[in-house]
Amino acid sequence: MNQKEKMYFSFLYNPLALIWGFIFPQVILVILNLRGWWLISGEATAETKAIAAWIFGAEIIILLINIVLFVYLKYRKSDIHWKHSLLLLAIHLAYLILGCRYIDNIIPANIPIWIINTFNCMVWHFTFFMPGTFLSLYQLSCISLDIQKRNEILYTFLFIIGIPACWYIVAAISQPLFLGRIPEVITILGMVFSLLLFFIGLLRFFTRRIAQVRSDSLQAHYITVLLIGLIAPFGGLYLNHYIPFPAYFQSVEVYLFTLFNGLLLFPKPNDTYAPVCLFARSICFPFIFYFFIVFLPFLPLSLLAIIAMGAGFLMLAPLVLFVIQLRILMENFNHVCQTQTQTKAVIIIISGILILPMYFMINTYDQKISLNKAIEYIYESDFHEPPPSHLEKKLQAASRSLVKLRDRKQGIQLPYISEFYNYIVFGNMVLPDQKIERMYTLLTGNSIPEVSSTMGFLSARTGFRGFQGQRISTPNRNVELVSTDVKQIDTSKSTLKLVMKNRSGETHSEFLTSIHVQEGIFINGLRLNIDNEFVSGRIVDQKTAMWVYQKITEVRRDPALLRYVAPDTLELRVYPFPVNGTREVEIDFLYPAESAARLRIGSKEIKLNLHNSDSRIYEKNGYIVFTENEYPHTLKRSPYIHFILDFSSGSETAQETYPTRIRDICTRLGISEMRLTAANISSQVLAEGKLLNISDPETIRHAITTTNLNRMGGFWAEGAIKKEMLIHKPDITNDNFHKFPVFVLVLANKLNTEEIKAINLDAFAHITPDINVWYMHDTNGLVQRSFSGDLITPMQPPMISPVYILKRDADISIINPYSPAIVSLRGNMPIEYYDVEKQRFIRMPETFFDPGDTWIRYAGLWEQWHQASMNPKLMEQRRSDLLEQSRSSSMMIPTTSFIVVENSAQWRILERKEEQSLNAKSTFEFEETKTSE
């Protein structure tokens, strides 16, 4: 390389190049390798550990060589010499060959790809070793040789064409004749050596000949730019349309930037336009650099692609274009330095380079903020707080952001850029399409528009190939429970042993059952028999546990999962089973001392407390527990209908029918009194919350027509009904405790399936224990649903259960006397119950006994979960704390699960995924999985 060229590219020979080209990438690789090894080291054999130690030791030695060389050159104030480049190239290639050869030997055979992916590991190594390898190749290609210029060009050109041609002959003709006779070492060395010569020849051709033509001949420069700056990139994009490797780049923006960048390479800098050209080329440089980095790890494959088909030369377009681009940019920069000032040139080039990254960063964080606002209002709302000010404008902004996010999510996924975007916006998780569509419908009242074809930075949908979701094969469920056995540990703790038998000839079999437990019975242990040894489960975040369980069942390992699907219902899953074989599970239960603790599996009732015990009422520290015994003085309260009327956008016409529909519903349910609430994405209580009567239709009509609630957004049924239930709870006083609401949604149109699924009132059931159903009236008529959301057929008037009413100070609690319940009544006054005959509250007799300190601690944690479950905002804030308390006390709550897995790698990936889940919003999922269930 002559002095002028070395002046332009001095940064490639400066010892600092060792930092950004060698040391920094390798430090990142060391961290990634250590993280990966931490996952699988517990399953590694002695042989595997020895191989891993050698590979890791080689990596550290290479890193130390780079550091020592950097210190040596800085001390000597010397540049990188070609001998140094040759040394670094040799050790880099040796490591890559060693890594590719032994990577399968490092990862244990029982580690599935969802924990460690072998291909991804190889991509990591090439990604972080290829920058240094390329830099070494570039430096070696610029060595000055004592050869005539004409001969040098000829030899270089022959290297570029001759090496692929020779390998094609070897692969197509010679190799079949000598198949298996050529030693593997010779084949590898021959391929590596020829690759080096090929790339050195290629780089030398473009650095010492093509890149110099602008000073020799302007016409030759135009031809070069046309070929390298336009034809080759567009040819590569055309090929990418049919062979999307290493990613699918068919984006409108990619084509436009390619065209814009190619045109910018034509002008020759002059005194007038040199700063403008420098700024424009600087803007495009990150675009070209991005494609150079993306293709760099796969450059060794380019020779194979060239041998397989001549179009493989197009894989080299990003490499060649980057060399040309960098050469022209540096010439432009030096020209501005000479004609203007160096400071001005530096400011121009830095400001230009930062435009695209800054635009992407600002756009990414703006979408993250808008998404968080939408999520916080729909999924993390505080039902106790009024709607925020300027709600309509905020909802419109959030809905526009959802469309952009949906388009971005379903658009082309670009390497590195998409990973960074997903990390910032989604926390490396996924916001499922169903949730995006639901939020948009609730915010606007309309269905989300089709995927847009308009442009957005590096996210256009040209040739759209959306994510279709992974499908999971549902296991066989021909597994039955053959025996149950209760072992009582003490007066408040028992272990239930379940034996399950696979009745099929498949190992892809799963035991799945529901266990109905009484309130006040807590779960504090799970064990699964694996290879004649009971392995204890651990408490983890429920979402994480379910994801890991599904992943393990895909590779047919040994998990067991126990979780709550409702406050009084557990779900137990065990997988897999031997053919016609059995498996065993043990579950530990804790209940109040001396209570009659029972649970039910299917139709079989199981008594946990084997000793004789009476069902009683007992209290400690303000916690009162009622068992299933009948109590005297129960009261059958009077119902009234709480209508929640649809005031979403587009419901004006339906509003005229509301009075008639209200009258018909009251008649059908046999209830004459009512309350009214208008609701959409917000809500408003009508007629000041007074009880109205069906006999006063004019007052009802006036209340509906005079509401000042703006018609906006969709009908948020879940938010409306839960908010009104929470408003009802503190309104219970000495004057009105004898009445309770039956909730009926009156819709302008049908409610979509996702919104119906969201209405789960199990956590709110204690507010109205008289009834466990709600109603919905739409264009199909009146339907009845349970608090858990299940459709009840045939529809019937509500069945009202008697209740037991307690009071302490001014706090009144309504209790179902036929179902065990935990009630928190704290205060200084004695506890009173309502005597139906005397029509007043009477002090409860002292018939309590101590349920046990451990149980009281568990009841306190259960109450914390219960309070948070009725307030999504509080639940989002406290989910990490609740998990920590659940884990430290070894008590499962509905936001956690007990899970048993087979090996240490599964436990460690579970820990990592749990941390990922807790750092992101609970609305996000790990992946957009579609199951056949």
Side-chain angles (χ1 to χ4, degrees):
M1 177 175 285
N2 59 43
Q3 288 300 115
K4 183 178 180 180
E5 291 170 335
K6 196 161 186 178
M7 177 186 70
Y8 287 162
F9 298 99
S10 60
F11 64 94
L12 296 177
Y13 296 87
N14 191 292
L16 288 175
L18 293 171
I19 299 292
W20 54 262
F22 294 85
I23 297 174
F24 180 68
Q26 289 171 22
V27 168
I28 296 177
L29 182 61
V30 167
I31 295 172
L32 289 174
N33 285 339
L34 288 175
R35 280 171 54 87
W37 180 249
W38 176 80
L39 286 175
I40 65 175
S41 59
E43 302 304 308
T45 62
E47 180 182 1
T48 300
K49 291 178 179 178
I51 296 173
W54 277 103
I55 297 293
F56 184 73
E59 186 178 5
I60 296 299
I61 290 173
I62 292 173
L63 181 59
L64 291 176
I65 290 174
N66 283 283
I67 294 173
V68 170
L69 181 60
F70 170 76
V71 174
Y72 171 77
L73 294 177
K74 289 295 289 183
Y75 176 76
R76 295 288 300 271
K77 297 181 180 181
S78 175
D79 287 340
I80 301 174
H81 193 265
W82 69 267
K83 295 179 181 179
H84 305 142
S85 301
L86 184 60
L87 170 66
L88 295 177
L89 178 63
I91 59 178
H92 274 63
L93 291 175
Y95 177 83
L96 287 174
I97 294 172
L98 187 68
C100 292
R101 174 65 179 82
Y102 289 102
I103 191 166
D104 283 331
N105 301 87
I106 297 175
I107 301 176
N110 63 339
I111 301 298
I113 61 173
W114 60 271
I115 295 181
I116 288 290
N117 189 313
T118 303
F119 176 76
N120 288 343
C121 288
M122 293 181 65
V123 172
W124 289 351
H125 286 76
F126 277 89
T127 298
F128 294 104
F129 263 78
M130 282 304 293
T133 302
F134 174 79
L135 186 58
S136 298
L137 285 171
Y138 188 90
Q139 292 164 349
L140 289 172
S141 69
C142 296
I143 298 174
S144 297
L145 300 176
D146 189 16
I147 304 177
Q148 291 184 0
K149 190 174 184 180
R150 180 177 300 176
N151 292 336
E152 180 181 345
I153 295 174
L154 177 62
Y155 296 153
T156 304
F157 188 75
L158 287 176
F159 268 84
I160 299 172
I161 301 300
I163 290 176
C166 289
W167 271 106
Y168 177 81
I169 294 172
V170 170
I173 301 174
S174 303
Q175 182 61 20
L177 299 176
F178 300 98
L179 186 63
R181 300 180 184 179
I182 302 177
E184 180 182 354
V185 175
I186 295 177
T187 303
I188 293 175
L189 291 178
M191 177 63 78
V192 171
F193 185 69
S194 57
L195 269 173
L196 293 180
L197 293 179
F198 173 75
F199 284 118
I200 289 175
L202 185 74
L203 290 172
R204 189 174 184 86
F205 182 74
F206 285 102
T207 55
R208 294 189 60 81
R209 176 57 186 168
I210 300 298
Q212 297 176 15
V213 296
R214 62 183 298 109
S215 59
D216 298 339
S217 168
L218 193 59
Q219 182 180 3
H221 165 69
Y222 289 151
I223 294 174
T224 301
V225 170
L226 180 64
L227 291 173
I228 306 303
L230 288 174
I231 294 177
F234 277 105
L237 289 172
Y238 177 79
L239 181 64
N240 178 258
H241 179 75
Y242 298 98
I243 306 175
F245 178 84
Y248 191 67
F249 296 112
Q250 300 306 301
S251 162
V252 173
E253 295 87 341
V254 171
Y255 279 86
L256 290 179
F257 266 100
T258 301
L259 177 62
F260 181 58
N261 180 77
L263 296 176
L264 284 176
L265 296 179
F266 279 93
K268 185 174 182 179
N270 54 53
D271 295 343
T272 306
Y273 298 108
V276 176
C277 289
L278 179 63
F279 182 71
R281 287 164 175 164
S282 300
I283 293 175
C284 288
F285 184 74
F287 174 76
I288 299 303
F289 180 72
Y290 166 75
F291 280 93
F292 169 73
I293 291 297
V294 168
F295 277 88
L296 188 60
F298 303 100
L299 282 182
L301 300 177
S302 61
L303 183 57
L304 297 177
I306 292 170
I307 296 170
M309 58 181 193
F313 273 108
L314 295 175
M315 284 186 63
L316 301 173
L319 167 67
V320 176
L321 181 57
F322 175 74
V323 172
I324 299 295
Q325 186 96 3
L326 185 62
R327 171 64 183 241
I328 294 176
L329 186 67
M330 293 309 299
E331 285 186 358
N332 201 168
F333 173 77
N334 282 278
H335 186 79
V336 174
C337 289
Q338 295 169 6
T339 58
Q340 306 283 329
T341 63
Q342 185 176 9
T343 302
K344 184 176 180 179
V346 170
I347 293 174
I348 290 174
I349 198 169
I350 291 178
S351 58
I353 288 174
L354 290 178
I355 285 180
L356 283 183
M358 290 302 296
Y359 172 82
F360 178 74
M361 290 286 292
I362 292 171
N363 190 46
T364 297
Y365 276 97
D366 178 65
Q367 293 191 20
K368 175 183 174 67
I369 292 170
S370 298
L371 174 64
N372 286 347
K373 288 180 180 178
I375 289 175
E376 286 165 6
Y377 191 78
I378 303 297
Y379 290 101
E380 300 173 15
S381 186
D382 189 338
F383 293 137
H384 297 90
E385 295 179 354
S389 58
H390 307 293
L391 177 61
E392 192 166 3
K393 291 183 178 179
K394 292 180 179 179
L395 297 183
Q396 290 174 356
S399 64
R400 289 193 297 269
S401 177
L402 284 173
V403 175
K404 293 179 182 178
L405 282 165
R406 190 282 312 273
D407 290 352
R408 182 68 180 81
K409 173 173 172 274
Q410 294 190 359
I412 295 169
Q413 299 296 301
L414 298 177
Y416 308 132
I417 290 180
S418 295
E419 283 86 345
F420 177 79
Y421 179 89
N422 293 336
Y423 174 76
I424 296 297
V425 178
F426 302 114
N428 268 342
M429 299 183 75
V430 171
L431 182 62
D433 289 343
Q434 294 90 339
K435 289 187 177 180
I436 293 178
E437 292 166 6
R438 178 181 180 240
M439 283 193 290
Y440 186 88
T441 300
L442 291 178
L443 296 177
T444 66
N446 302 311
S447 298
I448 193 166
E450 294 296 325
V451 177
S452 172
S453 60
T454 57
M455 294 188 301
F457 179 65
L458 291 178
S459 60
R461 266 63 57 192
T462 306
F464 168 68
R465 300 182 181 183
F467 175 74
Q468 299 300 318
Q470 178 185 1
R471 295 192 177 273
I472 297 174
S473 173
T474 305
N476 167 55
R477 295 273 167 73
N478 190 13
V479 181
E480 66 177 24
L481 181 64
V482 294
S483 70
T484 60
D485 181 50
V486 176
K487 178 181 179 182
Q488 186 152 4
I489 310 302
D490 55 37
T491 58
S492 63
K493 186 175 182 179
S494 296
T495 296
L496 173 64
K497 182 177 181 180
L498 305 177
V499 179
M500 301 139 288
K501 184 172 180 62
N502 182 13
R503 298 298 186 184
S504 74
E506 300 180 21
T507 59
H508 187 43
S509 300
E510 179 186 42
F511 176 74
L512 173 64
T513 191
S514 295
I515 304 174
H516 297 277
V517 295
Q518 301 171 347
E519 188 167 12
I521 299 177
F522 303 122
I523 294 84
N524 65 344
L526 172 71
R527 290 173 297 281
L528 173 67
N529 192 329
I530 301 176
D531 296 331
N532 296 321
E533 179 182 352
F534 278 96
V535 179
S536 296
R538 301 179 191 176
I539 286 181
V540 298
D541 169 63
Q542 187 180 114
K543 180 194 296 183
T544 309
M546 194 64 196
W547 182 82
V548 169
Y549 177 88
Q550 289 178 339
K551 283 297 180 183
I552 294 174
T553 56
E554 290 177 27
V555 293
R556 308 193 179 190
R557 295 296 180 181
D558 282 314
L561 178 70
L562 183 66
R563 63 173 184 150
Y564 281 98
V565 291
D568 63 347
T569 307
L570 303 169
E571 180 184 81
L572 174 65
R573 292 172 178 254
V574 180
Y575 178 95
F577 280 77
V579 174
N580 299 315
T582 60
R583 308 233 27 202
E584 298 177 349
V585 165
E586 292 183 345
I587 307 173
D588 296 331
F589 295 91
L590 186 79
Y591 42 85
E594 303 182 32
S595 68
R598 296 182 178 88
L599 57 82
R600 182 166 46 85
I601 303 178
S603 60
K604 184 176 184 179
E605 185 174 270
I606 299 173
K607 186 176 181 180
L608 296 176
N609 191 347
L610 303 179
H611 300 144
N612 293 327
S613 59
D614 298 326
S615 297
R616 297 194 250 175
I617 305 171
Y618 42 95
E619 183 264 352
K620 185 177 182 181
N621 296 350
Y623 292 104
I624 304 169
V625 182
F626 288 78
T627 59
E628 67 275 16
N629 198 23
E630 290 192 27
Y631 296 98
H633 311 293
T634 56
L635 171 67
K636 200 168 188 179
R637 299 197 294 169
S638 301
Y640 66 88
I641 300 181
H642 194 138
F643 286 102
I644 299 178
L645 309 177
D646 183 355
F647 269 63
S648 60
S649 59
S651 62
E652 293 85 351
T653 304
Q655 176 184 318
E656 300 175 1
T657 68
Y658 288 169
T660 303
R661 293 165 69 181
I662 286 172
R663 185 173 60 253
D664 293 343
I665 294 169
C666 288
T667 302
R668 189 168 180 183
L669 296 183
I671 303 173
S672 60
E673 290 187 307
M674 72 193 76
R675 267 200 180 107
L676 301 176
T677 295
N680 43 45
I681 191 63
S682 183
S683 64
Q684 179 187 10
V685 178
L686 304 182
E688 299 178 353
K690 295 178 181 178
L691 281 176
L692 306 177
N693 198 288
I694 191 176
S695 61
D696 189 8
E698 188 57 37
T699 302
I700 296 172
R701 184 179 298 277
H702 182 266
I704 295 174
T705 56
T706 57
T707 177
N708 58 4
L709 182 67
N710 293 333
R711 294 184 184 277
M712 61 179 181
F715 182 56
W716 188 20
E718 177 203 14
I721 195 170
K722 288 182 177 179
K723 183 175 292 187
E724 295 306 324
M725 291 188 80
L726 290 177
I727 291 174
H728 167 75
K729 183 180 180 182
D731 281 349
I732 301 175
T733 65
N734 284 333
D735 299 326
N736 65 6
F737 67 82
H738 57 283
K739 292 182 178 291
F740 74 96
V742 177
F743 288 92
V744 178
L745 307 180
V746 181
L747 310 177
N749 300 293
K750 291 182 181 179
L751 200 61
N752 65 60
T753 305
E754 290 302 316
E755 189 58 21
I756 292 175
K757 288 180 180 179
I759 305 176
N760 187 309
L761 305 177
D762 284 331
F764 295 73
H766 68 286
I767 296 177
T768 57
D770 323 65
I771 189 173
N772 65 348
V773 297
W774 57 276
Y775 296 83
M776 181 174 68
H777 190 277
D778 58 14
T779 53
N780 288 334
L782 189 65
V783 297
Q784 185 180 34
R785 291 187 174 272
S786 69
F787 273 17
S788 59
D790 298 326
L791 181 66
I792 299 174
T793 55
M795 202 287 299
Q796 57 187 354
M799 302 293 293
I800 301 172
S801 300
V803 294
Y804 196 78
I805 303 175
L806 287 182
K807 177 183 177 184
R808 175 177 261 176
D809 294 343
D811 193 4
I812 295 177
S813 288
I814 314 297
I815 299 153
N816 184 349
Y818 309 109
S819 177
I822 304 174
V823 181
S824 177
L825 280 175
R826 291 182 172 81
N828 299 319
M829 299 295 292
I831 299 174
E832 299 176 311
Y833 70 92
Y834 185 74
D835 190 308
V836 179
E837 295 178 357
K838 296 180 180 180
Q839 298 289 303
R840 61 187 176 89
F841 284 95
I842 297 176
R843 181 171 178 174
M844 185 172 286
E846 299 288 342
T847 59
F848 308 136
F849 61 87
D850 188 351
D853 292 337
T854 302
W855 185 91
I856 288 295
R857 189 173 73 253
Y858 281 12
L861 177 55
W862 186 267
E863 183 188 29
Q864 290 183 55
W865 164 80
H866 197 265
Q867 293 300 319
S869 67
M870 294 187 294
N871 188 337
K873 182 178 180 180
L874 182 61
M875 177 60 77
E876 188 69 18
Q877 294 171 347
R878 298 215 54 200
R879 61 193 182 108
S880 295
D881 178 59
L882 289 172
L883 171 61
E884 185 57 36
Q885 291 191 59
S886 175
R887 181 175 289 145
S888 62
S889 62
S890 191
M891 170 197 165
M892 189 174 76
I893 58 177
T895 54
T896 63
S897 295
F898 267 112
I899 187 170
V900 181
V901 296
E902 182 186 30
N903 56 48
S904 61
Q906 293 169 356
W907 285 121
R908 289 175 177 177
I909 193 67
L910 197 151
E911 292 175 18
R912 182 176 294 180
K913 286 294 180 179
E914 182 181 73
E915 181 182 4
Q916 178 184 339
S917 175
L918 294 176
N919 289 336
K921 287 186 173 294
S922 58
T923 314
F924 298 145
E925 305 292 342
F926 288 107
E927 59 187 8
E928 200 145 5
T929 303
K930 295 184 179 180
T931 69
S932 55
E933 294 183 88

